[in-house]
Amino acid sequence: MSNIPNSSFLIPNLKKEVYFIMIEVKDLTKYYVKNKALDHVSFSLKEGEILGFLGPNGAGKSTTMNIITGYLSSDSGSVKIDGIDILEEPKEAKKRIGYLPEQPPLYNDMTVQKYLEFMFKLKKVRLPMKEHINSICEQVKISDVKEKIIKHLSKGYRQRVGLAQALLGDPPVLILDEPTVGLDPIQIVEIRRLIRDLGKQHTVILSSHLLSEVQAVCDKILIINHGKIVADELTSSITQTGSSTVSLELIIEGRRQTVHSILQKVDGVIKVTDKGECERGCYEFRVDSRRDVRRLIFRAFAKTDFSILSMRPVEQSLEDIYLDIITGKSDTEEAS
Amino acid sequence: MSAIFKREFGSYFSSPVGYAVLAAYMFFSGIFFYVQCLFLGSSSMTMVFQQMFFIVLFVIPLITMRTFSEEKRQKTEQALLTAPVGVPSIVGAKFLSSLAMFALCLCSYLIEGIALSFMTQPDWSVIIGNVFAMAILGSSFIAMGLFISSLTESAIVAAIVSFVLNVLISIMDTISGTVSWDVLTGITNAISFQKKYNNFSLGLISLSDVVFFVSVTFIFLFLTDRVIERRRWA
């Protein structure tokens, strides 16, 4: 028993040195009757990271989020929030999570103010209630509808009240299931900015089927399909995976066949794809090469009287990668 | 827990349900009181309490029908179940708020007692005893209603099913008269609510009857807790 004071000395030191893992999900498996909804899903998130959860409808995004927040239980595997197991100490773990489910959990017969007060008490938040609710309302811009009954709110406002509810108590972990659905473009930009800001102090998981959203907001991406994780990478690195080859899109005025053969003869070019006539006498080509061949192509055409009307490097977008992964995987699955 | 209780109790009066239940209950209680006491010139309210038994059967499903079904339909149960609150306190808070709503209904007897006291000396011990009896009868029906409500997403279905269940359990002794098999008669007699309740209304408060209603209440609250807990594993 004499070493207890020592260990309490150690803990604060540990926290400083170790990069703190906020969310740890291990081997989650979940069956709905006979359907396997989740198949050994594992990932972890460090403090202050924003994870984008991507996948087609029915891939298991919401199921995973519901398990992390303790709403559903898994058939196997474990979830730890800030080192606390959600099944072993649910109350402590749930205190650390702010959750915005797919459909915001709003009581239609209450005013926004009353609803937030209720959620504040339900979550047993120990902060000055009035000030805290006011500041959150400012943050998500719902101060002007606070006295309205939730039933009468538009979809965008409902979504924001749902977000406000998740932010109550300033939980270190935020789980947002499609937070921008139903918002207009201006609101979407605002909410994304808000999530980015929140990501500085919170650990955030957000799901989406919009790739641009994930690309704009998240540090890490998790792509899930048929209940399995098919890609788990940093947003910056996932867009670079395809960049071993460089692609160009060209529009060239000239004779089709000749242009094609000139392009093919340029040193370093792997593949030339004819994409057809775009204007009268002008053809579009896509050139894949091992290195930057723009100068070589320019010189090759400078010798002829064909003119290059446009030359544009093509970055492989997240969209392409996503489609590659999703369709590629299901192809191989069907084959097996 | 108190937050859920307050919201739940408040929700009765942010919709017409609370007012309708209260009005209906007081209306019938008033009619029976008029007929039994004022019209027949009796100072005993025993008959009022006996006749109100069937009104209780109708009214309680209306009080409990929305408790869990509405949460499920509006998806608000996700907020409750992901909050740092255990399922037993959710069930407990909902039970207490339904009971509080029912207690408001029971206030009608106090008004009637006061009305009687202007004309004669009412037997307050009988009135208080009967209100207590009706409260614990009500708590059993409320627990059953909560259980039914936790099984469905539709408030209407919950109301109908719990109403049928209430009536069925209450007329058990009528059924038991028609079967000749002793075991079955014994069982139906044992679970008949009406027989036990009528003992109360005559002023016979026996411990075993109180224990019976309290146990029924706890059994159904426990089952409700299980239903909600189990859904997470489905």
Side-chain angles (χ1 to χ4, degrees):
Chain A
M1 294 304 264
S2 60
N3 55 4
I4 282 178
N6 286 339
S7 61
S8 67
F9 264 121
L10 272 172
I11 292 164
N13 288 341
L14 259 177
K15 273 200 174 178
K16 268 180 208 164
E17 283 170 23
V18 178
Y19 212 161
F20 225 61
I21 290 185
M22 262 329 242
I23 304 175
E24 196 182 8
V25 172
K26 250 192 211 156
D27 266 342
L28 284 190
T29 304
K30 173 86 182 166
Y31 288 89
Y32 285 129
V33 197
K34 273 184 185 169
N35 276 338
K36 209 174 202 177
L38 291 182
D39 190 359
H40 297 282
V41 169
S42 309
F43 61 91
S44 65
L45 260 190
K46 291 186 203 110
E47 213 171 347
E49 280 185 317
I50 307 181
L51 174 79
F53 216 22
L54 271 176
N57 293 333
K61 288 174 294 186
S62 294
T63 305
T64 312
M65 291 183 145
N66 278 333
I67 292 174
I68 294 173
T69 54
Y71 176 62
L72 290 178
S73 58
S74 57
D75 292 312
S76 72
S78 70
V79 174
K80 278 184 183 160
I81 307 292
D82 200 3
I84 302 166
D85 194 293
I86 190 88
L87 286 180
E88 280 166 19
E89 285 179 78
K91 284 183 195 170
E92 278 307 306
K94 284 172 182 176
K95 271 185 192 168
R96 288 164 168 74
I97 303 175
Y99 181 32
L100 170 64
E102 204 169 0
Q103 199 179 330
L106 306 176
Y107 290 99
N108 283 328
D109 55 352
M110 297 173 106
T111 64
V112 173
Q113 175 76 27
K114 283 262 150 53
Y115 170 71
L116 291 177
E117 282 173 13
F118 164 68
M119 289 305 293
F120 183 93
K121 287 177 194 151
L122 184 70
K123 293 181 170 194
K124 298 174 181 154
V125 180
R126 290 182 199 287
L127 290 167
M129 184 166 83
K130 256 206 166 121
E131 289 85 351
H132 185 57
I133 290 180
N134 281 344
S135 78
I136 284 177
C137 288
E138 291 285 307
Q139 231 180 340
V140 297
K141 300 201 170 69
I142 51 171
S143 302
D144 49 330
V145 296
K146 267 197 325 206
E147 295 309 320
K148 280 198 179 172
I149 292 174
I150 292 175
K151 197 174 11 186
H152 302 310
L153 294 181
S154 68
K155 186 133 202 287
Y157 270 115
R158 293 174 65 89
Q159 193 72 19
R160 282 191 273 174
V161 175
L163 189 60
Q165 162 275 127
L167 295 176
L168 282 174
D170 216 9
V173 172
L174 286 175
I175 300 199
L176 312 172
D177 201 345
E178 307 200 346
T180 56
V181 163
L183 302 181
D184 66 43
I186 299 168
Q187 292 169 340
I188 289 180
V189 173
E190 277 173 10
I191 293 287
R192 281 182 192 164
R193 193 177 302 141
L194 178 64
I195 294 172
R196 268 229 154 269
D197 285 345
L198 291 170
K200 285 170 193 158
Q201 275 135 38
H202 301 73
T203 308
V204 184
I205 300 184
L206 78 98
S207 80
S208 179
H209 48 244
L210 296 175
L211 294 136
S212 52
E213 180 159 296
V214 169
Q215 210 162 9
V217 176
C218 302
D219 308 315
K220 275 175 96 177
I221 290 185
L222 205 69
I223 299 178
I224 187 167
N225 195 21
H226 298 300
K228 275 185 208 163
I229 290 181
V230 288
D232 175 7
E233 271 165 279
L234 295 174
T235 316
S236 48
S237 65
I238 203 168
T239 40
Q240 281 164 9
T241 45
S243 61
S244 55
T245 60
V246 184
S247 302
L248 291 173
E249 257 175 18
L250 297 138
I251 297 174
I252 294 167
E253 192 178 28
R255 239 180 297 127
R256 202 170 182 166
Q257 246 72 50
T258 330
V259 172
H260 195 277
S261 60
I262 292 173
L263 282 173
Q264 229 153 16
K265 274 176 208 150
V266 174
D267 195 27
V269 169
I270 310 166
K271 196 176 138 205
V272 179
T273 336
D274 189 339
K275 298 183 106 178
E277 188 169 18
C278 54
E279 289 167 49
R280 208 180 146 75
C282 305
Y283 301 93
E284 202 179 333
F285 293 92
R286 185 190 166 108
V287 176
D288 296 314
S289 55
R290 254 180 223 102
R291 54 196 158 85
D292 192 353
V293 290
R294 284 174 297 178
R295 284 166 199 84
L296 296 176
I297 290 175
F298 175 79
R299 280 192 209 110
F301 280 96
K303 289 175 203 153
T304 65
D305 40 346
F306 303 152
S307 14
I308 301 174
L309 300 183
S310 122
M311 172 149 60
R312 191 170 63 86
V314 187
E315 266 179 59
Q316 195 178 13
S317 70
L318 197 53
E319 204 115 358
D320 297 328
I321 299 165
Y322 175 71
L323 286 175
D324 277 357
I325 290 170
I326 297 289
T327 50
K329 283 278 168 174
S330 49
D331 283 351
T332 50
E333 258 168 37
E334 274 159 29
S336 66
Chain B
M1 188 160 161
S2 68
I4 302 177
F5 172 80
K6 272 188 214 153
R7 196 211 66 77
E8 196 73 23
F9 190 66
S11 79
Y12 285 119
F13 297 100
S14 63
S15 72
V17 175
Y19 297 102
V21 163
L22 209 52
Y25 195 87
M26 293 207 164
F27 174 72
F28 284 110
S29 152
I31 285 190
F32 292 142
F33 174 68
Y34 172 75
V35 173
Q36 297 297 336
C37 297
L38 301 183
F39 187 72
L40 296 175
S42 156
S43 70
S44 156
M45 283 175 63
T46 301
M47 280 311 285
V48 179
F49 286 106
Q50 284 198 3
Q51 287 175 329
M52 282 307 283
F53 180 81
F54 275 97
I55 304 301
V56 173
L57 297 186
F58 278 97
V59 157
I60 287 189
L62 297 179
I63 295 180
T64 58
M65 64 182 182
R66 299 202 308 171
T67 43
F68 288 102
S69 57
E70 193 71 5
E71 301 265 4
K72 225 186 306 178
R73 200 177 60 80
Q74 286 193 19
K75 309 268 179 197
T76 44
E77 68 165 5
Q78 243 165 333
L80 291 185
L81 295 176
T82 57
V85 195
V87 179
S89 12
I90 298 174
V91 175
K94 287 192 177 265
F95 169 73
L96 289 179
S97 68
S98 300
L99 194 60
M101 181 68 221
F102 185 58
L104 271 189
C105 297
L106 294 181
C107 288
S108 62
Y109 302 118
L110 299 181
I111 299 170
E112 288 157 13
I114 291 166
L116 266 187
S117 71
F118 285 111
M119 295 165 266
T120 172
Q121 186 59 45
D123 192 344
W124 279 107
S125 60
V126 171
I127 296 177
I128 302 291
N130 265 305
V131 169
F132 167 75
M134 202 161 253
I136 63 168
L137 168 80
S139 71
S140 304
F141 281 140
I142 287 171
M144 283 158 57
L146 291 180
F147 172 67
I148 303 292
S149 183
S150 74
L151 295 174
T152 165
E153 237 177 76
S154 151
I156 302 292
V157 171
I160 293 171
V161 173
S162 30
F163 171 64
V164 169
L165 188 68
N166 289 355
V167 172
L168 192 69
I169 267 188
S170 306
I171 58 163
M172 272 301 175
D173 46 351
T174 320
I175 299 172
S176 73
T178 65
V179 286
S180 51
W181 188 26
D182 286 349
V183 180
L184 203 58
T185 318
I187 292 173
T188 49
N189 269 330
I191 59 173
S192 163
F193 277 32
Q194 199 175 12
K195 189 162 277 174
K196 293 180 181 60
Y197 175 71
N198 283 346
N199 288 345
F200 283 144
S201 62
L202 294 170
L204 305 168
I205 295 185
S206 75
L207 187 63
S208 71
D209 290 347
V210 173
V211 169
F212 172 79
F213 284 121
V214 172
S215 328
V216 170
T217 307
F218 273 98
I219 288 169
F220 277 98
L221 290 182
F222 174 73
L223 290 177
T224 312
D225 172 80
R226 288 295 93 194
V227 167
I228 293 165
E229 197 68 49
R230 205 190 157 278
R231 215 172 25 238
R232 295 175 50 205
W233 300 86

